[in-house]
Amino acid sequence: MPAPTSPADLFRHSLRLLLDKDIPAWVALWAEGGVMEFPFAPDGWPRRLEGKEAVAAYMRHYPDHIDLHDFPELRIHQTTDPQTVVVEMRGVGRLVESDAPFDMTYIAVVTVRDGHFTTYRDYWNPLAVQQPGADFTGSSR
């Protein structure tokens, strides 16, 4: 079954893949030159990933560190650009290493072209990654 092409449907599909821990399928939703940005990333964490391979490397070990269970409170807002959505959501689950709860609120600005993510600006709380077991990126902190 092909991935949906509307930005809202593609985003919902991507969340299902994250819950299924299917990172290769999640990465496949990205355009080759897609850019992922983290404006609030703390020191030592990447602020910008350029290209599908960089996104894949960043996400490769995510399920080994964060076990997501749900994305409650998902709200997807249309913008004046039909290819761009603004998303509000929470990601809840547990940190694998410590078995501590994981509960992160996100706002994302996402643009889709030709059925693939081209830009994804992810605004998340950098204080949450100070918990033991939250660092899945191998950052230099």
Side-chain angles (χ1 to χ4, degrees), residues 28-90:
L29 301 178
W30 281 80
E32 287 300 323
V35 174
M36 190 170 202
E37 296 177 295
F38 307 96
F40 297 149
D43 289 342
W45 282 65
R47 293 197 194 292
R48 182 178 172 93
L49 305 171
E50 295 188 27
K52 185 186 235 179
E53 290 306 315
V55 171
Y58 175 80
M59 290 296 291
R60 185 167 289 123
H61 298 291
Y62 189 94
D64 298 331
H65 298 274
I66 300 173
D67 178 18
L68 289 170
H69 299 159
D70 195 11
F71 290 100
E73 302 171 27
L74 174 66
R75 292 178 26 181
I76 299 177
H77 306 278
Q78 300 299 320
T79 68
T80 57
D81 176 350
Q83 299 305 311
T84 300
V85 292
V86 175
V87 179
E88 296 177 86
M89 66 181 184
R90 283 177 49 223

Side-chain angles (χ1 to χ4, degrees), residues 3-18 23-37 49-52 55 59 76 83-85 87 89 108-121:
T5 57
S6 82
D9 290 344
L10 187 70
F11 194 86
R12 283 185 193 93
H13 179 67
S14 76
L15 295 181
R16 172 51 43 209
L17 293 172
L18 289 176
I23 300 304
W26 186 86
V27 169
L29 301 178
W30 281 80
E32 287 300 323
V35 174
M36 190 170 202
E37 296 177 295
L49 305 171
E50 295 188 27
K52 185 186 235 179
V55 171
M59 290 296 291
I76 299 177
Q83 299 305 311
T84 300
V85 292
V87 179
M89 66 181 184
V109 180
V110 180
T111 301
V112 172
R113 301 266 187 255
D114 300 322
H116 291 92
F117 294 127
T118 56
T119 61
Y120 190 124
R121 199 169 311 114

